[in-house]
Amino acid sequence: MEVSVIGNPQAKICRAELSFRELGFRLGSGESRNKVCFLTHQSSKWKEIRIRCSPRSVKCEAIVSDQAPFLKPTPNPRSQLESVKLFVGLPLDTVSDCNNVNHMKAITAGLKALKLLGVEGVELPVFWGVVEREAAGKYEWSGYLAVAEIVKKVGLKLQVSLSFHGSKDPEIGLPDWVAKIGEGEPGMYFTDRYGKQYKDCLSFGVDDVPVLDGKTPMEVYGGFCESFKSAFSDYMGNTITGITLGMGPDGELRYPSHQHETKPSGTGEFQCYDKHMLSALKHYAESSGNPLWGLGGPHDAPAYDQQPHSTSFFSDGGSWESQYGDFFLTWYSSLLTSHADRVFSVASSAFGGSGVSVSGKLPLLHQWNKLRSQPSELTAGFYSSNGHDRYEAIAEIFAKNSCRMIIPGMDLSDEHQSLASLSSPESLLGNIKTSCKKQGVVVSGQNSSASVPGGFERIVENLKDESVGIDLFTYQRMGALFFSPEHFHAFTVFVRNMNQVELSSYDQAGEDEAQTVSLGSGTGAHSLQTA
Amino acid sequence: MSTVPIEPLLHHSPLRRTSLNGARTFLPSSLNLRCHFTSKKLHSIGRGIASGNSLGFLSSERRRSIAIRASSSDTAVVETTSQSDDVIFNENFPVQRIDKAEGKIYVRLKKVKENDWELSVGCSLPGKWILHWGVSYVGDTGSEWDQPPEDMRPPGSLAIKDYAIETPLEKLSEGDSFHEVTINLNLESSVAALNFVLKDEETGAWYQHKGRDFKVPLLDDVPDDGNLIGSKKGFGALGKLSNIVVKPDEPGADVQEKGKSSSGSTKEGKGLEEFYEEMPISKHVAGDNSVSVTARKCPETSKNIVSIETDLPGDVTVHWGVCKNGNKKWEIPAEPHPEETSLFKNKALRTRLQRKDDGNGLSGLFSLDEELEGLCFVLKLNENTWLNNRGEDFYVPFLTSAALPTPKTNQEVSDSGFTAEIITEIRNLAIDISSHKNQKTNVKEVQENILQEIEKLAAEAYSIFRSTTPAFTPESDLESEDEKPEIKISSGTGSGFEILCQGFNWESHKSGRWYQELQEKADELASLGFTVLWLPPPTESVSPEGYMPKDLYNLNSRYGTIDELKETVKRFHKVGIKVLGDAVLNHRCAHFKNSNGVWNLFGGRLNWDDRAVVADDPHFQGRGNKSSGDNFHAAPNIDHSQDFVRKDIKEWLCWMREEVGYDGWRLDFVRGFWGGYVKDYMDASKPYFAVGEYWDSLSYTYGEMDYNQDAHRQRIVDWINATSGAAGAFDVTTKGILHAALQKCEYWRLSDPKGKPPGVVGWWPSRAVTFIENHDTGSTQGHWRFPGGKEMQGYAYILTHPGTPAVFFDHIYSDYRSEIASLLSLRNRQKLHCRSEVNIVKSERDVYAAIIDEKVAMKIGPGHYEPPSGSQNWSVAVEGRDYKVWETS
């Protein structure tokens, strides 16, 4: 909850009997405090009225950005939690493929509700297939610009996700012209061993191959980023505070090893059978002296929805632990790592110095992670020789490019996983966090998109964890379910729990630990007034 | 056809708003012409609604109401277009044109006889003129007024607090346009000067003299502030006046001195001189006109033909552009352009409308490529006068799909309007915070207010997202909400097996002893199988039927006394029937007039003042917040956003539960305020059963009811949803569809595209109260009467279907009685309830058939249907004209 008061001499918010000229009510940032002051400026004499906030007995509280003119009482013990900036994802189909803004009114109302609730901002998924739909280099930003403008007017911040992938629901594909090229150039899509293509994302194998009208995908992504930067230059660094680069399928850095969401209980499959990856594999095998290993992927890996032990590859002492396994998995995961590096260098050349943070998102592949082989991670491309930390190499890439890492699934808890899936989202999350900490990578959180029991409590637990210091959390995702009475209520409670503070009466003002802080009309008042 | 009146779109007319502003900003010592500025800006500038700063208040609220109204009409557009063939848009926009009328004011001081003088003030313009006046006594300094001595007040004068008198100007004679008032001056008193301003009650506008009060000196040494009349000093000073507030280009406020036309003879006594002065005056007169826009697709030419017609007088130019590519930028369409079209700064086209052949009004035809998305326009009446659609461009969309891009301009208006509104609210909150000593309560209030605003917004977002998300199945979702335990605590929805009886009609008040008459029927109604009885509104009321409540705590009404009421409730409880009170919460009639003569002050135990009245109905000059719903125009609408109002209403409801013994509520006109407040009331009064009357019009296209009434039922469901399901609602949708189906033999209407009942009952059966008639729709009012002779088909439908059925009193005591009784007993016997499963097996032109809970089968319509002969053994339970009901044995 935000309590916001705006001081604005021009607006003359005075009442005859009060003759206040100015009211300041500001929630600062940084320092710990638990007292709020209202300042009233009466003909050059300042008066103070205080409200003391006690950490106990909560009714309502404020979460707030450091720039907005809002009250943010921050008691010490919770400072970690309260320093988390909360974002909410906008619907994936916010902008339709004809560049219309869908459910504009609903989104507008929703944004206002979020603003009043004290949410920092929203995440806007921007699809390659919408913006550069018709022809290479022909960008149409109008729909997204309209959304950015509303977000700005309401006074929220914006995290933009540049999505170089397609989506099944709602159905948004890759750009039409790319799909057309793909018909003649099937090798540019991820392909499984049955020859089936994954058409919602280009293969890592073509990153630097000029398949798109003589340009490499990386060059095309680069052009897209540049165009975005110039189209949104007015918003960069003020409304837009961060950009997330699409790293792969569903924006996550992974192979599309689980293509069919129908049965996520299987291990997934390796995706190395497109023309370019096969030739890279062949080359790599030859150069490492085992040309026969380069003829294809593992022959004994289970199918998508098969159990890990149904074939020998992932079993203990199975092929994955063999010399061949190490050879293949090392190569397979190195492509993932180098893809991340390429995307980030595109991003840093486009957005370096523009005042926005750049992030990439990892998947949380917790299925089967109690198995030694952790097959879900292997098929998705996470591997490290000799049982080393599988995420360290990735985290290193993030660190090298000064990018933030988004980790989803912060709402998942072990107790709600089915025993048969041998899954522990909590320990995997801890694992990735540790790698990030070691490499000095800043972590942002997300929930899994489906709502899970006890999710909000789990998120709060994760955010409280001071060892990693997550300072940004994006809640997915706005829509009918999000605003349904039950869910929205729970969300409101969640927001409050992030800031356990109550404004209670001021009768104890002046008590020892109370620290008076800052006053006057906040500078951020502008953002609201000019909106 | 529905007879529900569609409210005039322009009831927030700027002019009336002006009167509100004027009245509210008026302070005798600092009269100014703020209201006129407002009016001028609103009308001539149109789109750029005067920025809020100089006006201080209301402007942001006004913006919001515009945005909301615009949005609702957008949906209406989508709805109406979905069914028609080539007409893709048809709407009639009311517009208000402001004309300037000019006339004069005169002031005459005349000596009747020695020491007997009279002052006359007259005005030549028509209007309801009031002289608002006071006096200055000898020795007074400053511009304060005082009450004149009693003997100076003409008959019909009204004292305004302790400083002024209001005296109406009377017509000099029938047929004469001059209004005049004459004051006899008492020269014996120590009155030094007489001060006045003129007020036009019709518009609420105040007319002053050079930005100040008119001042007539009766003594020589009256200090001259430049506003004296009839004294040489005053005129001498004229050239030097620097404090003329009225600018020449503000015509609404023009009262400028023209000159003294005569001067009388000098008299010794007190140095008084006779004089006569005239001053020109002009006033804005509103004229109501309309602009009707029709767009047709013309398949032969691949064009959209837009026809704009209006009854505005004089030359009218359409200033227009077209929209493409999903944005609402004005663009110039390709040639050819219509006749008499010119290009304006490469940004818009201007086309003069032609006089129609029959000479009545103007029209213009625009032929546009069908790829274009829409036509935007405003109307230009003359150089300074523009008309638009309630603050926005008129917009004619050509796209017919439901995925019509929401017009951007609307959004922008609503955006900025909203943000401004939040700011205002936050400011108000801030002021509240700092203005009270008890900060704790106030901080809480702030928090609660904000929380409430959040809830409202979330509910709005929810309802739109839901209606635009096709994957969402309302039924299962809503029903699953039922299972939530916290809703059950005070469900207001009974056991699910209720059958309602509406225990009165529009005439029931006439006997004066209705409660007693009803008591006598208690056993009878119980044996028929009713479990809930709806009693008429019990409070003191301005209208005998009870729907214009005055003192809520006075339960003596035309239906009987409070004791008779209590007795009746007891009697029905004895026979096992629960009793609903008819609670009219939307509006309340006032006891007293305010200083402007407007009835908005309440008496009795709830002696609310005008803060309890919503601010956006200009008739009642409320000082509350804007209404959270639609306005009912006959009485002051209660502002439920006020804490004290809600607290009092909750107390009252609880008192009614305790004192009278009511088990629940029928809530009148709940369209008038936000459902979230109803939830609040239900939580507080914990009714066993509650049902709200959310009655608005179904969708029609050219008088033909649309098949798809999802938007209509969505509005009702949204309301229920806003109450968090704490109350049900009358299923107006079902009644409307039954009308069309039965009347025109179109029984196919009774199944929606998903094979479910097409009314609220198809989406949220446990909250739908089905009915076919009530005291408004039928009885002696007959606002929307069920098709005659087909009532039993209606009952065969609602008494076998899910939802909670309500039977109208008149039907029980009619020839239908025995058939209704059989249906009631079948429903009870077979234990059909509000969540029963309905399986529609036939919905054809002339027959509709359904099987309910696999144990009751029914058909209505002349067509043939027999339940399947199979494992189940069907036997006829009830049979009548064009309907038949079976049950399994």
Side-chain angles (χ1 to χ4, degrees), chain A residues 12-288:
Chain A
K12 296 215 168 72
I13 25 170
C14 37
R15 280 191 172 174
E17 59 288 16
L18 291 170
S19 64
F20 290 143
R21 289 297 308 285
E22 211 170 310
L23 273 166
F25 188 165
R26 157 147 186 213
L27 325 152
S29 60
E31 313 132 75
S32 70
R33 73 196 72 89
N34 47 10
K35 194 154 126 210
V36 179
C37 291
F38 292 84
L39 277 196
T40 64
H41 184 210
Q42 191 173 23
S43 54
S44 87
K45 203 174 77 195
W46 289 88
K47 273 190 188 170
E48 266 188 47
I49 305 168
R50 295 173 184 184
I51 298 182
R52 196 172 156 277
C53 312
S54 116
R56 295 173 302 271
S57 65
V58 180
K59 174 99 198 215
C60 251
E61 36 333 315
I63 344 179
V64 181
S65 83
D66 42 4
Q67 282 152 330
F70 294 134
L71 183 80
K72 185 182 184 184
T74 318
N76 273 329
R78 297 197 166 255
S79 53
Q80 169 55 35
L81 199 50
E82 292 189 14
S83 66
V84 177
K85 290 177 182 162
L86 184 61
F87 283 75
V88 173
L90 289 174
L92 288 175
D93 62 347
T94 295
V95 174
S96 76
D97 49 10
C98 316
N99 258 289
N100 287 321
V101 180
N102 288 326
H103 4 263
M104 176 70 106
K105 279 180 188 141
I107 288 176
T108 309
L111 290 176
K112 292 162 188 170
L114 293 180
K115 177 69 190 172
L116 286 177
L117 202 53
V119 165
E120 171 83 4
V122 289
E123 180 257 359
L124 172 65
V126 170
F127 282 91
W128 185 26
V130 170
V131 177
E132 199 179 350
R133 182 179 169 204
E134 285 176 29
K138 198 179 160 212
Y139 307 100
E140 178 55 62
W141 295 105
S142 58
Y144 292 110
L145 278 167
V147 176
E149 185 58 28
I150 297 173
V151 172
K152 182 181 172 188
K153 274 185 183 162
V154 175
L156 289 167
K157 299 292 176 202
L158 194 56
Q159 293 272 328
V160 176
S161 299
L162 301 179
S163 307
F164 299 112
H165 60 271
S167 145
K168 284 272 176 282
D169 181 30
E171 200 176 330
I172 301 170
L174 295 186
D176 292 349
W177 62 277
V178 174
K180 208 168 168 195
I181 293 172
E183 286 167 21
E185 172 75 40
M188 68 187 213
Y189 295 119
F190 287 111
T191 308
D192 62 17
R193 59 176 154 169
Y194 318 106
K196 190 166 178 305
Q197 295 166 339
Y198 178 82
K199 293 194 174 176
D200 279 336
C201 182
L202 297 183
S203 164
F204 302 151
V206 295
D207 275 358
D208 285 329
V209 182
V211 287
L212 300 176
D213 285 345
K215 284 190 175 175
T216 68
M218 286 301 142
E219 286 164 354
V220 173
Y221 297 167
F224 186 86
C225 292
E226 287 295 342
S227 170
F228 172 82
K229 189 172 70 172
S230 67
F232 288 77
S233 56
D234 289 350
Y235 302 94
M236 295 291 267
N238 44 68
T239 298
I240 297 176
T241 55
I243 289 174
T244 304
L245 269 295
M247 309 295 287
D250 295 327
E252 296 176 340
L253 180 61
R254 62 177 167 88
Y255 286 91
S257 48
H258 278 103
Q259 294 187 3
H260 313 286
E261 288 304 314
T262 44
K263 281 189 184 167
S265 57
T267 56
E269 290 221 32
F270 294 106
Q271 309 285 325
C272 58
Y273 296 86
D274 67 72
K275 183 172 90 184
H276 302 279
M277 283 187 74
L278 281 177
S279 87
L281 176 60
K282 186 158 175 269
H283 189 251
Y284 177 70
E286 282 162 1
S287 68
S288 64

Side-chain angles (χ1 to χ4, degrees), chain A residues 2 4-5 13 15 18 38 49 51 60 103-106 108 112 116 153 480 483-486 488 503 528, chain B residues 71 411 415 418-419 423 426-427 430-431 433 435 439 443 447 450 453-454 457-458 461-462 465 468 481:
Chain A
E2 260 168 28
S4 49
V5 181
I13 25 170
R15 280 191 172 174
L18 291 170
F38 292 84
I49 305 168
I51 298 182
C60 251
H103 4 263
M104 176 70 106
K105 279 180 188 141
T108 309
K112 292 162 188 170
L116 286 177
K153 274 185 183 162
F483 285 112
S484 67
E486 295 75 28
F488 192 74
L503 312 176
L528 261 180
Chain B
S71 67
Q411 287 145 5
D415 291 341
F418 164 78
T419 328
I423 292 170
I426 290 171
R427 267 181 209 146
I431 289 167
I433 291 170
S435 64
Q439 303 213 338
V443 170
Q447 294 167 339
I450 296 181
E453 182 67 28
I454 293 173
L457 288 164
Y462 178 49
F465 269 125
T468 54
E481 282 169 23

Side-chain angles (χ1 to χ4, degrees), chain B residues 598-614:
Chain B
V598 170
W599 292 90
N600 66 6
L601 303 174
F602 301 95
R605 180 158 152 193
L606 303 180
N607 54 346
W608 301 333
D609 61 9
D610 49 4
R611 285 176 303 144
V613 177
V614 298

Side-chain angles (χ1 to χ4, degrees), chain A residues 456-531:
Chain A
F456 285 119
E457 290 78 3
R458 185 70 211 141
I459 294 171
V460 170
E461 286 307 304
N462 269 316
L463 296 181
K464 271 200 280 196
D465 177 3
E466 304 213 6
S467 65
V468 180
I470 297 171
D471 65 351
L472 192 155
F473 185 84
T474 305
Y475 187 82
Q476 301 295 9
R477 184 172 283 284
M478 188 188 281
L481 180 68
F482 181 83
F483 285 112
S484 67
E486 295 75 28
H487 179 271
F488 192 74
H489 176 73
F491 180 76
T492 311
V493 173
F494 162 67
V495 175
R496 291 183 196 176
N497 284 340
M498 305 250 305
N499 295 265
Q500 293 279 1
V501 184
E502 181 184 18
L503 312 176
S504 68
S505 70
Y506 69 111
D507 50 1
Q508 305 145 33
E511 256 183 35
D512 43 10
E513 89 266 41
Q515 297 169 306
T516 311
V517 191
S518 123
L519 327 149
S521 63
T523 48
H526 250 10
S527 61
L528 261 180
Q529 279 152 5
T530 52

Side-chain angles (χ1 to χ4, degrees), chain B residues 452-498:
Chain B
Q452 236 163 41
E453 182 67 28
I454 293 173
E455 257 180 57
K456 252 196 242 184
L457 288 164
E460 186 188 343
Y462 178 49
S463 65
I464 308 174
F465 269 125
R466 234 188 34 199
S467 52
T468 54
T469 311
F472 183 84
T473 48
E475 197 176 7
S476 52
D477 237 80
L478 293 171
E479 281 303 294
S480 69
E481 282 169 23
D482 283 352
E483 311 312 321
K484 294 273 150 59
E486 76 263 39
I487 291 178
K488 278 195 177 147
I489 294 170
S490 110
S491 73
T493 54
S495 66
F497 291 92
E498 279 70 28

